[in-house]
């Protein structure tokens, strides 16, 4: 019975324009019935929970799946999320993968890492987990987001602060090995084209940044240069339509070397990296 209901829900979500209807229908069923997605076939017909159609209707109205279930998966993490905090996206996993490789290649015993605009804490927590001896610092401005960040970083090695990413961590100037950020980067002119899950539910502060979407990244370029030691690396996510634009913010004239763009798992330009030039 449950699998038949899931098939029906899949069709409803597809008709509503949900990008991954089967996955979402299965996730909602698993969430409501307290099992993993791969165990749905083990739920007896008699245990079917009719509230399933309530959560399906919420997803049909394009409420984010993660807001309904209260959880988001990111690399090896399960994070608590909900209204007020940006829901981490799969594209950002490739940003973190590159950052981990870069830190490991540095051969520093206890690398110092800073995550600017941390949101749910996804990037900072993944780095702390996958680079075991790292010292990870994270900053978030929004009090609404921080309610979730604090839950996620509790018991971890991440040092979390509330504050503006542009002025954060003056005590770490010139000492940081890696600065990473998934900042807001959507141009204000693109508002109507943003998926309703993001536009209507993610905090506006986490999405939009000026007419061309690059206002905050321009500011973070100066922050990263201030924080990094010579030879340290910055990694910044951007929109796939901004490939080619962001590396030009990290110019040699401003003290950078090796600025480059990198693709995500779908081979679209997704993040820029640069190295602080040696004196």
């Amino acid at each position: 019975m449950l699998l038949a209901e899931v098939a029906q829900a899949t069709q409803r979500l597809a008709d509503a324009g949900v990008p991954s209807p089967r996955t979402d229908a299965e996730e909602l069923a698993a969430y409501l019935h307290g099992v993993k997605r791969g165990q749905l076939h083990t739920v007896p017909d008699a245990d079917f929970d009719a509230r399933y159609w309530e959560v399906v209707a919420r997803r049909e109205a394009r409420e984010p799946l993660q807001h309904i279930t209260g959880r988001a998966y990111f690399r090896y993490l399960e994070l608590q999320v909900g209204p007020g905090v940006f829901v981490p996206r799969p594209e950002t996993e490739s940003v973190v993968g590159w950052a981990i490789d870069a830190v490991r290649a540095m051969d520093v015993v206890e690398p110092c890492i800073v995550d600017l605009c941390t949101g749910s804490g996804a990037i900072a927590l993944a780095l702390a987990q996958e680079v075991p001896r790292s010292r990870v610092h994270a900053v978030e401005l929004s009090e609404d987001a921080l309610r979730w960040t604090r839950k996620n970083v509790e018991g971890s090695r991440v040092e979390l602060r509330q504050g503006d990413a542009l002025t954060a961590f003056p005590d770490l100037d010139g000492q940081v090995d890696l600065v990473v950020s998934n900042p807001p980067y959507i141009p204000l002119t693109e508002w109507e084209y943003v998926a309703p899950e993001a536009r209507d539910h993610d905090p506006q502060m986490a999405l939009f940044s000026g007419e061309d979407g690059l206002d905050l990244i321009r500011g973070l370029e100066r922050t990263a240069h201030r924080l990094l030691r010579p030879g340290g690396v910055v990694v910044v996510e951007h929109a796939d339509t901004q490939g080619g634009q962001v590396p030009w913010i990290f110019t040699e004239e401003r003290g950078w070397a090796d600025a480059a763009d990198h693709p995500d798992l779908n081979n679209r330009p997704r993040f820029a990296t640069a190295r602080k030039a040696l004196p």
Side-chain angles (χ1 to χ4, degrees):
M1 178 180 176
L2 180 55
L3 295 182
E5 304 281 1
V6 167
Q8 199 179 330
T10 299
Q11 189 56 56
R12 275 179 55 175
L13 295 180
D15 291 344
V18 171
S20 49
R22 172 162 288 282
T23 298
D24 289 19
E26 291 177 352
E27 279 286 352
L28 290 170
Y31 157 69
L32 206 57
H33 293 87
V35 297
K36 290 187 161 52
R37 262 175 70 199
Q39 299 171 324
L40 287 173
H41 64 282
T42 66
V43 178
D45 289 354
D47 289 352
F48 175 71
D49 191 330
R51 289 176 301 169
Y52 180 56
W53 294 112
E54 294 173 21
V55 294
V56 168
R58 288 168 65 185
R59 186 69 190 102
E60 210 172 2
R62 305 300 289 272
E63 184 177 342
L65 172 71
Q66 297 86 350
H67 282 197
I68 301 170
T69 64
R71 61 193 183 203
Y73 299 101
F74 186 83
R75 291 183 70 88
Y76 304 106
L77 301 167
E78 182 179 315
L79 301 161
Q80 296 184 60
V81 295
V85 70
F86 181 79
V87 173
R89 306 298 202 264
E91 306 88 83
T92 308
E93 295 191 11
S94 52
V95 179
V96 173
W98 191 96
I100 289 167
D101 291 343
V103 172
R104 286 178 179 159
M106 288 174 186
D107 201 24
V108 175
V109 177
E110 294 184 348
C112 181
I113 297 170
V114 167
D115 176 17
L116 302 172
C117 313
T118 195
S120 66
I123 292 176
L125 284 163
L127 285 159
Q129 183 183 64
E130 296 181 59
V131 186
R133 296 191 65 179
S134 57
R135 292 168 294 133
V136 182
H137 307 266
V139 65
E140 173 57 47
L141 183 60
S142 163
E143 185 59 54
D144 289 338
L146 278 163
R147 288 191 302 114
W148 298 100
T149 329
R150 291 186 182 111
K151 291 178 186 178
N152 290 324
V153 305
E154 188 177 352
S156 76
R157 290 183 296 105
V158 174
E159 193 244 331
L160 176 66
R161 298 185 199 179
Q162 179 171 16
D164 186 332
L166 299 180
T167 55
F169 302 114
D171 50 313
L172 296 177
D173 284 0
Q175 302 172 50
V176 178
D177 297 294
L178 177 96
V179 170
V180 60
S181 183
N182 177 17
Y185 51 67
I186 301 173
L188 288 166
T189 51
E190 300 287 311
W191 188 88
E192 62 192 286
Y193 306 111
V194 177
E197 286 87 347
R199 187 187 64 218
D200 301 337
H201 297 278
D202 276 325
Q204 304 285 297
M205 181 194 289
L207 298 177
F208 300 101
S209 187
E211 287 299 307
D212 64 356
L214 299 176
D215 280 7
L216 188 56
I217 292 179
R218 291 188 188 96
L220 293 181
E221 178 268 325
R222 284 293 84 194
T223 305
H225 196 273
R226 166 173 63 79
L227 289 170
L228 288 169
R229 61 164 173 82
V233 173
V234 61
V235 189
V236 181
E237 183 171 330
H238 58 69
D240 55 9
T241 54
Q242 293 164 333
Q245 292 173 268
V246 178
W248 285 104
I249 294 172
F250 296 86
T251 61
E252 288 183 20
E253 293 76 26
R254 297 179 77 82
W256 297 99
D258 305 330
D261 241 328
H262 304 266
D264 61 17
L265 300 174
N266 296 312
N267 217 29
R268 294 189 294 240
R270 176 59 58 190
F271 61 97
T273 63
R275 186 168 50 83
K276 183 174 177 176
L278 299 171

